[in-house]
Amino acid sequence: MSDSMEAPGEAVPAEEGGPAVPAAHGVPALEPYDPAAPAPLGVERIPTGNTEVDAHLGRLADADLLPADGHLEVYEDVHRGLRDTLTALDAHPPGPRPAVSHNPHHQHNHRS
């Protein structure tokens, strides 16, 4: 038997004070479960068609690599970027605006 494999049933010390997880014959020992460890959520991101919006939404994947206490910074950054991008979409383009007729004598037909 090689030095890299544990004997069946032999306890393998866990890291950071967690319980030891027995190793099975030919199967590596499992690390103790850490609920605070980073884990991808597996949420599918559907492209919006707007490259800037899609880039900000893609940044949410960074939270998958961070512990929970690091998520807030990513979420705030994404929110700020989306707000700025969407606000820019609502802004009128620079340059002359189309003329609007304000003729008080013009009657509108509002029938549906």
Side-chain angles (χ1 to χ4, degrees):
M1 183 177 283
S2 73
D3 291 347
S4 63
M5 292 182 55
E6 302 293 329
E10 184 177 325
V12 177
E15 293 180 23
E16 299 183 31
V21 179
H25 183 64
V27 178
L30 299 175
E31 295 295 323
Y33 175 68
D34 180 3
L41 295 176
V43 176
E44 181 182 352
R45 288 172 197 76
I46 300 171
T48 66
N50 181 297
T51 55
E52 289 182 62
V53 170
D54 291 340
H56 292 301
L57 293 176
R59 168 116 165 73
L60 289 172
D62 292 347
D64 288 347
L65 308 173
L66 299 171
D69 62 354
H71 291 189
L72 183 60
E73 182 180 340
V74 173
Y75 295 155
E76 286 178 342
D77 182 50
V78 170
H79 181 260
R80 193 172 25 256
L82 286 171
R83 184 182 59 228
D84 293 346
T85 299
L86 295 174
T87 298
L89 291 174
D90 288 338
H92 296 286
R97 293 180 140 193
V100 177
S101 172
H102 294 288
N103 184 348
H105 301 292
H106 180 72
Q107 301 217 340
H108 295 280
N109 184 354
H110 294 285
R111 286 192 261 170
S112 14

